Amino acid sequence: MATSSAHGEGSTKGVLSQFGVPYVPYWHPGHSELPSGGRALLDWNPNQGQDQDGVFHRSRVPLRPRRQDARLKAHPNARAGEGQVMSCAEFWGTGENPPQGVASSRYYAFGYWQYVQILVFWAGTAGGGLICPPNGHVTDAAHRNGVKVYGSVFFPTPSHGGKEAWVRDFTTKTKNGTYPVVDKLVEVAQYFGFDGWFINYETLTRGDPAVRDALAYGRARTTPDTAGSVDFTWYEMQQRDLNNHNAQFLQNGSQRVCDSLFVDYYWYDTNLTNSKNKAGEIKRSVYDLHFGLELVEEKNWDERLTLLFTKDNTHRGSLALYKAHTVSTPSKGCSDTEWTQGFYRKEADFWVGTNHDPSHSPNSGFPGIARYIAEARPQQELPFVTHFNTGHGHSYHHAGAVVRHGGWANLALQDVLPTYRWLTGADAGGALGASLSFRDAWEGGSCLMLDTTHLVPGSSAWTRLYQLYLPTTDRTRITVRAKTPPFWENGNGGALEALVATDAAPKKLLAVPLTRQSEDQAGWTTYTATLPENTYWQPLVQLGLRLTTGPYPMLRPLLVGQIAVHDEEFATPPAPTALEFQPPERTITGGVSVRLAWEPPADESAVHHYEIYETGGGASGTFLGASLNPVFFLPQLTARDRAATQIAVTAVGHDGTHSPNATADITW
């Protein structure tokens, strides 16, 4: 479910008395040499009304456990249970980072979480802030996929504005042995619901032992891999292996200092060998070492990854990707549609290879991270629902109808996307293409599109989609919502089946016929299937689709807007109540901005998220945004020649069902 008390519940008291955009906060450690407009982390205290914006940025999705299953890896040469991937990516920057998404589809909507273990939210500038927590909605998406998220702590070089006074503030120790700034780091991570901090130390060319001791203190405050644990990763410039100098920042005798260490770029074979030897000497796993790959300037990626991952027929360490967002940056000046197409093409090139098939390497070009790292899947429970929602789009849909025209992005709404993008097959003479489409959707901004135009009439084709570990019962069934091409059914031989595999026979895909149940709006059709008896009470580990064509060529693609595996009918979630708002604040463009807050239902187990609409809510209103927290900031409302605007907030169930609305009229 989307809501949880795992990180504590945040009060919305006071948020409606605050004005202005609740940007993601950032700080310097203390009060020494603060730049103009700078804020000290030591002054931050959300429990005393000093951070009325904080509730807008909290993650509500607990970190899910995850697992790699070597039996189900796509590429035969990928390895499971060895090296990990740390992705250091910039989603927005340091300043004016908006809450709860943006009104544009041009956002780094990362979706290849199955190859990543840690996401570093890359930010920090000397003149802005050094200590930068991640956006809550980015953490929501990562946690839903079992990926840890780290905020950034940046100590710049003196040539880039770094001050030794900032390091001294960070390492200030009280008489009773505490480090106040480090205590605040732990508190920030636990309050906002993320998992740790990336310490980017560049102020001095050699790490300061005082920083080491402060980090060891912070690491000792929580137990690794337990609820509320706060991790630390160490990076300093010009250290291209684990050596006598920097090993102390990973392990200082019997004391665990950091959970991992980022090794600087341009390492080679001897650096890997030396690092392995040193890791053994200090009794730490070589996989705690993430060897940096510079993705902007360095282009011999395959050569470096071969050294790291395949030279010894075992992984020799883990990988850190610096500026991972740059591998998929589309060209400037293109349309929104061209931007999205370019983004997903480049993302696929890097993560699964230039042939966009994770099961085998291309004949030329980069083979993709999937060549080296086996896919991981987050722990799931029933109901499992996907709308193939990527967390951004060119329009927004509810129950197949468009409720917003125009771009949007909010990664809190991103589903767990298909593990295998794309594994497809077809009878001889045909080919099945698979992709994410932004032209239509059942819920959100995207759906699965299966290109059937190259299939032979009367043939069958299939796609493996998900690696799972779903417990089942004798009541478990599958629901699919799809748009089928003309002449698909109506006695013409077209058929749609679910493909499942159980843990007892993980590679044996069983076809389960899907029966047409109802014709929904906008051309969507609902299909259902009951699991066969021989799968009862066995965990499902694979999920896919198979289709059989009729005697006529298929001139349009098949769209899939929802797949759900569930036991019971989906219940309508209880409604939120007590919707309130601040007095509207005029913006420079002539509209108004408004802060909203509401009371969530006492039992949120049936609630996936909340959606905010203008004039009526649901399919009759215009979608304005969504939140997992019981607050939302509307940056721009337009009066539209009327005395008032009605705002509605609805709770959305796991399958997209809307609750009754909580409403309020905003008078201009």
Side-chain angles (χ1 to χ4, degrees):
M1 66 181 185
T3 52
S4 171
S5 60
H7 303 297
E9 295 299 331
S11 171
T12 59
K13 185 178 180 180
V15 302
L16 298 183
S17 64
Q18 184 77 4
F19 286 87
V21 183
Y23 291 124
V24 178
Y26 51 83
W27 308 275
H28 281 65
H31 300 94
S32 299
E33 300 192 45
L34 277 176
S36 176
R39 291 166 288 180
L41 180 60
L42 287 174
D43 295 335
W44 177 81
N45 192 333
N47 298 318
Q48 296 181 7
Q50 296 179 17
D51 184 7
Q52 296 174 331
D53 296 343
V55 68
F56 290 88
H57 309 295
R58 300 185 78 182
S59 170
R60 299 290 302 281
V61 179
L63 177 66
R64 288 180 175 174
R66 60 189 257 144
R67 176 186 175 189
Q68 288 176 307
D69 191 336
R71 303 173 301 174
L72 297 175
K73 63 184 182 181
H75 200 291
N77 295 321
R79 303 185 72 87
E82 297 184 11
Q84 302 175 352
V85 176
M86 174 189 291
S87 175
C88 303
E90 185 176 312
F91 285 80
W92 190 266
T94 302
E96 298 187 348
N97 192 347
Q100 301 167 317
V102 295
S104 171
S105 59
R106 300 191 182 204
Y107 195 83
Y108 180 54
F110 179 69
Y112 283 93
W113 302 104
Q114 63 269 40
Y115 302 109
V116 174
Q117 185 73 18
I118 297 169
L119 171 72
V120 177
F121 190 85
W122 200 263
T125 62
L130 306 181
I131 300 170
C132 304
N135 283 87
H137 70 100
V138 174
T139 304
D140 289 333
H143 280 184
R144 193 171 284 128
N145 287 274
V147 173
K148 289 185 174 184
V149 179
Y150 293 171
S152 295
V153 179
F154 182 37
F155 292 107
T157 63
S159 62
H160 287 82
K163 309 288 185 183
E164 290 188 38
W166 298 339
V167 179
R168 289 196 299 271
D169 281 352
F170 185 86
T171 57
T172 296
K173 186 177 181 180
T174 65
K175 291 181 180 179
N176 62 3
T178 65
Y179 291 83
V181 171
V182 177
D183 285 336
K184 287 292 184 182
L185 287 182
V186 173
E187 185 181 356
V188 166
Q190 292 176 337
Y191 176 80
F192 288 105
F194 60 95
D195 309 287
W197 292 99
F198 184 93
I199 312 300
N200 182 2
Y201 186 85
E202 302 181 18
T203 301
L204 302 176
T205 56
R206 293 282 183 172
D208 187 340
V211 180
R212 176 201 66 199
D213 295 342
L215 295 176
Y217 164 84
R219 175 64 276 176
R221 284 199 49 181
T222 60
T223 303
D225 299 322
T226 59
S229 174
V230 178
D231 296 350
F232 293 91
T233 290
W234 176 256
Y235 165 78
E236 61 182 295
M237 295 174 62
Q238 301 175 353
Q239 302 296 311
R240 296 176 183 174
D241 52 22
L242 186 68
N243 52 48
N244 289 331
H245 163 67
N246 61 12
Q248 62 182 313
F249 292 91
L250 189 63
Q251 189 77 24
N252 187 26
S254 62
Q255 188 177 47
R256 186 182 183 94
V257 179
C258 286
D259 298 271
S260 55
L261 187 143
F262 184 121
V263 180
D264 204 11
Y265 322 103
Y266 311 114
W267 38 266
Y268 292 97
D269 187 73
T270 55
N271 301 113
L272 296 171
T273 300
N274 294 340
S275 297
K276 179 180 179 180
N277 293 337
K278 190 63 179 179
E281 180 183 321
I282 65 173
K283 296 181 172 57
R284 289 292 293 269
S285 170
V286 72
Y287 303 133
D288 291 342
L289 306 179
H290 289 78
F291 291 87
L293 190 65
E294 220 281 13
L295 297 179
V296 180
E297 297 178 3
E298 187 177 4
K299 298 301 181 184
N300 57 335
W301 302 336
D302 193 26
E303 176 186 334
R304 308 299 300 289
L305 296 184
T306 297
L307 273 180
L308 179 62
F309 287 141
T310 67
K311 181 176 181 292
D312 292 345
N313 198 33
T314 185
H315 291 174
R316 304 167 74 189
S318 293
L319 174 67
L321 301 171
Y322 174 61
K323 290 196 173 181
H325 59 286
T326 61
V327 302
S328 53
T329 303
S331 302
K332 295 181 180 180
C334 58
S335 68
D336 287 348
T337 298
E338 291 169 334
W339 191 98
T340 304
Q341 292 171 344
F343 175 84
Y344 283 96
R345 182 180 65 254
K346 293 180 179 181
E347 281 280 273
D349 287 348
F350 181 78
W351 291 98
V352 300
T354 52
N355 61 350
H356 297 184
D357 180 346
S359 66
H360 68 277
S361 301
N363 293 327
S364 61
F366 182 56
I369 298 299
R371 160 67 177 79
Y372 308 99
I373 302 289
E375 298 82 3
R377 51 96 185 142
Q379 180 174 301
Q380 304 281 5
E381 58 185 19
L382 295 179
F384 169 79
V385 182
T386 178
H387 297 109
F388 304 96
N389 187 357
T390 62
H392 70 157
H394 308 305
S395 57
Y396 197 89
H397 299 71
H398 168 56
V402 176
V403 292
R404 175 197 174 96
H405 294 280
W408 63 275
N410 185 333
L411 294 193
L413 303 183
Q414 186 185 81
D415 290 320
V416 176
L417 297 174
T419 314
Y420 307 112
R421 277 170 276 166
W422 300 96
L423 296 183
T424 63
D427 288 346
L432 179 68
S435 62
L436 296 168
S437 173
F438 292 84
R439 296 181 180 178
D440 208 342
W442 176 253
E443 290 286 332
S446 50
C447 66
L448 170 66
M449 182 172 73
L450 299 177
D451 183 358
T452 58
T453 57
H454 298 289
L455 295 180
V456 177
S459 66
S460 64
W462 55 267
T463 177
R464 282 171 62 190
L465 294 172
Y466 283 95
Q467 182 185 138
L468 302 165
Y469 196 83
L470 276 179
T472 65
T473 71
D474 56 359
R475 303 185 309 277
T476 302
R477 60 187 184 273
I478 300 172
T479 297
V480 175
R481 285 191 166 96
K483 275 188 176 180
T484 56
F487 307 112
W488 169 262
E489 296 177 297
N490 299 323
N492 288 305
L496 188 62
E497 297 170 297
L499 293 176
V500 299
T502 68
D503 192 45
K507 296 183 179 180
K508 184 179 180 181
L509 289 165
L510 306 174
V512 184
L514 288 158
T515 303
R516 183 190 188 105
Q517 293 296 312
S518 62
E519 191 79 31
D520 301 310
Q521 63 178 339
W524 292 92
T525 300
T526 299
Y527 301 82
T528 63
T530 302
L531 291 182
E533 264 186 66
N534 60 349
T535 65
Y536 290 173
W537 308 103
Q538 297 183 51
L540 294 185
V541 297
Q542 288 203 72
L543 178 63
L545 293 171
R546 187 171 80 174
L547 53 97
T548 303
T549 65
Y552 304 105
M554 299 177 67
L555 303 180
R556 297 181 189 171
L558 186 150
L559 303 181
V560 182
Q562 183 190 76
I563 299 179
V565 184
H566 55 110
D567 277 351
E568 308 293 342
E569 294 292 342
F570 289 98
T572 298
T577 56
L579 175 61
E580 298 179 305
F581 59 92
Q582 71 180 97
E585 183 181 11
R586 289 290 172 183
T587 66
I588 60 174
T589 57
V592 299
S593 63
V594 183
R595 291 185 178 214
L596 305 173
W598 57 89
E599 189 69 29
D603 180 6
E604 291 186 278
S605 61
V607 179
H608 184 272
H609 63 274
Y610 301 93
E611 291 183 358
I612 298 90
Y613 287 80
E614 182 179 3
T615 63
S620 62
T622 299
F623 174 80
L624 298 176
S627 174
L628 274 62
N629 289 298
V631 294
F632 193 77
F633 177 74
L634 293 171
Q636 181 70 22
L637 280 176
T638 305
R640 297 180 185 170
D641 300 323
R642 54 192 174 192
T645 289
Q646 184 182 73
I647 299 296
V649 175
T650 179
V652 181
H654 299 284
D655 69 331
T657 302
H658 281 197
S659 75
N661 296 327
T663 60
D665 290 331
I666 296 178
T667 303
W668 306 100

